Amino acid sequence: MSSPMLSSNDYQQKIKQAFAEMSKVVVGQQYMVNRLLIGLFTGGHVLLEGVPGLAKTLTISTLAKVLHLHFQRVQFTPDLLPSDLVGTMIYNQSRSEFEVKKGPIFANLVLADEVNRSPAKVQSALLEAMQEKQVTIGETTYPLDLPFLVLATQNPVEQEGTYPLPEAQVDRFMLKVHVDYLKKTDELEVMRRMANLSYADDVCPVLTRDDIFGIRHQINQVQISETLEKYIIELVFATRKPAEYDLPEFQQYLQFGVSPRASIALHRAAKAVAFLDERDYVLPEDIKDVAADVLNHRILLNYEAEADGIRTQDMIEAILRKVPIS
């Protein structure tokens, strides 16, 4: 039986506790933690991209400790098989029958580490789990326990031994967060902590499964005006036909714009930003705050853009400047 739902203030206090517990281990990556919580509280998968050593894996594993949820980490490698992820049928000699051995995907929180190092068949198996919240082993389909969230890390695709993720799979990630190097003061703190051989990384679990569903309910109650809903639609359409929004310079570089999933993700993420800011209504700044993380991986530019040094980030910034809130 689920526990009674708490008040909005109670949930806000628990979220602050979660941030405090995370900061015991993770230094200077508050932005990444914020985005992971947005994904968790809206049921959206999150992709973290950055060079090795920026605490992407540490941050996700620490978040798992703050949650009363079943957590599994999967290291993606070129020789990983779909059965290594979802499970397989094994023969039980004592019973003379096949039985299912479930894989690590059967968890609430799955860390797909270096997700772009595995080939297409593994990505296909992960895609079904992300989209359908189920996996197929043999001829049987098994539902996954909720909440179910994939938090993936990837190295830049230019690195040796990486595969670019299929567009269909990338689109299933609600947010793609670029993780950058720390500031000097933060890196100094990291160095001092890790140089201390007695350094402890113990954190206390704060948020339960019921808390997560309760927070999701609270976020659903956050109000967003019709004007801002139309603004989201205009931003999305500007990625598809920039010339119609007084941005003809990007039309020649565009292969295709964002899908309707971007509209849904931007709507949900903006409400989550408002809630984390302790408001029950969305401001234009909330939409702009998450626009880049929602849109950047869904816009596909052509080779001409790459040759001319044009990035999706440049296009998004131009769209945010040009598209008015009417």
Side-chain angles (χ1 to χ4, degrees):
M1 184 175 179
S2 61
S3 58
M5 197 171 293
L6 304 178
S7 70
S8 179
N9 287 339
D10 290 331
Y11 287 129
Q12 294 290 358
Q13 289 305 312
K14 285 204 167 196
I15 292 170
K16 288 176 182 174
Q17 280 181 266
F19 271 106
E21 290 297 319
M22 293 286 292
S23 66
K24 290 180 181 179
V25 179
V26 181
V27 178
Q29 295 288 12
Q30 290 86 353
Y31 183 85
M32 177 172 30
V33 174
N34 176 274
R35 278 358 191 202
L36 290 173
L37 288 178
I38 287 175
L40 178 68
F41 296 150
T42 57
H45 310 293
V46 181
L47 177 62
L48 305 178
E49 181 178 275
V51 298
L54 297 182
K56 301 184 295 297
T57 302
L58 175 66
T59 303
I60 294 173
S61 59
T62 305
L63 175 63
K65 294 176 183 177
V66 175
L67 306 171
H68 290 272
L69 294 177
H70 181 204
F71 170 70
Q72 287 280 13
R73 174 186 173 184
V74 183
Q75 184 68 45
F76 279 57
T77 57
D79 60 349
L80 191 73
L81 299 173
S83 58
D84 297 329
L85 181 65
V86 303
T88 188
M89 304 288 290
I90 59 172
Y91 187 70
N92 187 322
Q93 287 187 328
S94 61
R95 295 183 182 178
S96 298
E97 63 182 20
F98 284 93
E99 58 185 36
V100 173
K101 184 178 187 300
K102 293 182 176 180
I105 199 72
F106 286 89
N108 299 115
L109 201 64
V110 177
L111 165 55
D113 214 357
E114 296 191 286
V115 69
N116 59 335
R117 289 198 181 275
S118 285
K121 285 187 178 181
V122 177
Q123 303 298 348
S124 177
L126 182 61
L127 179 60
E128 180 188 8
M130 290 172 64
Q131 181 61 23
E132 309 296 337
K133 305 291 193 296
Q134 65 182 31
V135 297
T136 303
I137 303 174
E139 297 180 353
T140 308
T141 298
Y142 299 89
L144 296 169
D145 290 336
L146 299 180
F148 172 73
L149 199 66
V150 173
L151 304 177
T153 70
Q154 74 170 19
N155 298 324
V157 291
E158 293 80 11
Q159 291 206 347
E160 188 176 349
T162 59
Y163 302 79
L165 296 179
E167 287 84 357
Q169 183 175 354
V170 170
D171 198 27
R172 263 67 175 192
F173 285 101
M174 181 184 186
L175 304 171
K176 178 184 176 186
V177 182
H178 178 70
V179 183
D180 210 343
Y181 290 107
L182 296 172
K183 294 184 289 189
K184 290 180 182 178
T185 51
D186 292 329
E187 189 148 345
L188 180 63
E189 175 64 19
V190 169
M191 182 180 69
R192 286 172 174 166
R193 285 192 188 187
M194 301 313 291
N196 182 0
L197 298 180
S198 61
Y199 166 70
D201 61 354
D202 295 332
V203 296
C204 299
V206 174
L207 293 167
T208 66
R209 181 196 307 260
D210 287 334
D211 290 332
I212 292 166
F213 286 124
I215 290 168
R216 288 183 183 181
H217 176 76
Q218 293 285 342
I219 289 173
N220 285 339
Q221 307 308 308
V222 173
Q223 298 298 307
I224 180 167
S225 68
E226 185 178 348
T227 298
L228 291 183
E229 288 181 329
K230 290 180 177 177
Y231 176 57
I232 289 173
I233 297 300
E234 294 297 331
L235 291 176
V236 165
F237 270 70
T239 70
R240 301 170 187 168
K241 297 182 179 179
E244 294 182 8
Y245 291 82
D246 197 24
L247 293 166
E249 64 273 24
F250 289 103
Q251 195 71 56
Q252 62 177 319
Y253 298 123
L254 183 66
Q255 193 162 338
F256 58 76
V258 303
S259 74
R261 286 194 187 90
S263 308
I264 300 166
L266 197 47
H267 192 279
R268 283 161 49 196
K271 291 172 80 168
V273 170
F275 180 78
L276 290 175
D277 205 27
E278 301 185 44
R279 282 181 282 105
D280 60 0
Y281 57 90
V282 174
L283 296 173
E285 289 72 24
D286 300 328
I287 297 170
K288 294 176 180 179
D289 183 44
V290 288
D293 294 334
V294 170
L295 302 177
N296 64 32
H297 54 301
R298 293 182 163 97
I299 297 173
L300 189 63
L301 301 181
N302 55 29
Y303 291 112
E304 191 179 344
E306 187 177 348
D308 290 349
I310 301 297
R311 305 170 304 153
T312 54
Q313 185 67 30
D314 301 325
M315 184 175 174
I316 293 167
E317 289 173 359
I319 287 171
L320 290 173
R321 286 195 303 269
K322 282 284 187 180
V323 175
I325 303 171
S326 54

